[in-house]
């Protein structure tokens, strides 16, 4: 399975000629190469994780692709057919096995409502928590996509998250809110955290790929 990182929180998985997109949002370059997509996972409703235009482009190229998201995404993307998923659910689509965890977005501020959010484990290999610190129960995570910067987090939380999950491999996501210097600092801190559990940190840039 090949992982390609896009800007911010968007990921592409490819296996056996089939594609899976995760969180194609507003901070991500328009996705145009979406033929042979079997599924799209949207972890939550915020526009930096999905937009109607991004989803429409994918579905125009692959009309049979299944879109998965929690109840908040079902409501927000009501113009599209979204299959609801909840923590504890497992689904099979094409060559992909998806398991969902978590349930709620991290708190941004007491004045801002907390929304639905699911983390997703792909083929028992890649885990991405969305905008949360949800730890997948009873799972030894091979590769972790860890948020590196957001209004709802500080780097100490991300470091502690990596220390708790102890992935074999990790890379940063959700970093378009950071400056170049901020991205570099976050990568250094997350790399240290990954190494404490014997893991390796990959400082992936948009367009970089990793074979899982």
């Amino acid at each position: 399975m090949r992982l390609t990182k896009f800007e911010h929180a968007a990921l592409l998985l490819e296996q056996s000629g089939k594609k899976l997109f995760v969180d194609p949002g507003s901070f991500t370059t328009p996705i145009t190469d979406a033929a042979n997509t079997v599924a799209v996972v949207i972890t939550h409703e915020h526009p930096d994780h999905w937009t109607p235009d991004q989803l429409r482009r994918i579905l125009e190229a692959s009309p049979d692709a299944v879109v998965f998201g929690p109840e908040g995404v079902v409501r927000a993307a009501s113009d599209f057919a979204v299959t609801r998923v909840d923590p504890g659910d497992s689904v099979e689509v094409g060559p992909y096995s998806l398991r969902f965890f978590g349930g709620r977005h991290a708190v941004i501020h007491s004045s801002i409502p907390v929304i639905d959010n699911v983390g997703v484990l792909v083929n028992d290999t890649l885990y991405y928590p969305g905008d949360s610190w949800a730890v997948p129960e009873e799972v030894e995570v091979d590769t972790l996509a860890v948020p590196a910067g957001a209004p709802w987090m500080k780097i100490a939380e991300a470091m502690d998250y990596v220390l708790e999950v102890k992935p074999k491999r990790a890379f940063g996501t959700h970093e378009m809110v950071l400056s170049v210097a901020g991205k570099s600092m976050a990568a250094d801190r997350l790399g240290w955290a990954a190494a404490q559990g014997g893991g390796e940190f990959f400082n992936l840039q948009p367009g970089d790929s990793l074979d899982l």
Side-chain angles (χ1 to χ4, degrees), residues 16 21 120 131 146 170 205:
S16 302
F21 284 96
V120 61
D131 282 10
V146 57
Q205 303 302 310

Side-chain angles (χ1 to χ4, degrees), residues 73-112:
V73 171
V74 174
R75 293 194 302 267
S78 58
D79 289 341
F80 301 89
V82 179
T83 298
R84 174 176 168 169
V85 288
D86 297 299
D89 287 350
S90 297
V91 299
E92 303 284 337
V93 56
Y96 300 104
S97 170
L98 309 176
R99 295 171 59 193
F100 297 93
F101 298 86
R104 304 298 282 168
H105 192 288
V107 174
I108 302 171
H109 187 264
S110 59
S111 65
I112 300 174

Side-chain angles (χ1 to χ4, degrees), residues 48-192:
D48 59 324
H49 292 258
W50 88 282
T51 69
D53 286 344
Q54 291 279 41
L55 190 52
R56 193 172 293 113
R57 278 188 287 265
I58 294 170
L59 293 175
E60 285 175 352
S62 298
D64 294 330
V66 183
V67 182
F68 297 101
E71 177 59 28
V73 171
V74 174
R75 293 194 302 267
S78 58
D79 289 341
F80 301 89
V82 179
T83 298
R84 174 176 168 169
V85 288
D86 297 299
D89 287 350
S90 297
V91 299
E92 303 284 337
V93 56
Y96 300 104
S97 170
L98 309 176
R99 295 171 59 193
F100 297 93
F101 298 86
R104 304 298 282 168
H105 192 288
V107 174
I108 302 171
H109 187 264
S110 59
S111 65
I112 300 174
V114 178
I115 62 171
D116 296 327
N117 177 94
V118 290
V120 61
L121 178 67
V122 182
N123 288 356
D124 294 323
T125 300
L126 170 71
Y127 182 65
Y128 167 57
D131 282 10
S132 80
W133 303 124
V135 176
E137 302 88 354
E138 299 180 358
V139 173
E140 291 187 7
V141 175
D142 180 274
T143 304
L144 177 67
V146 57
W152 48 268
M153 63 161 282
K154 56 185 179 181
I155 195 62
E157 294 172 312
M159 294 168 69
D160 285 342
Y161 185 61
V162 174
L163 290 172
E164 182 175 5
V165 175
K166 296 182 177 65
K168 295 178 183 176
R169 295 180 286 191
F171 65 95
T173 64
H174 211 283
E175 77 283 68
M176 287 296 282
V177 295
L178 299 177
S179 66
V180 172
K183 291 178 183 179
S184 177
M185 291 173 63
D188 287 344
R189 300 292 185 267
L190 295 174
W192 174 87

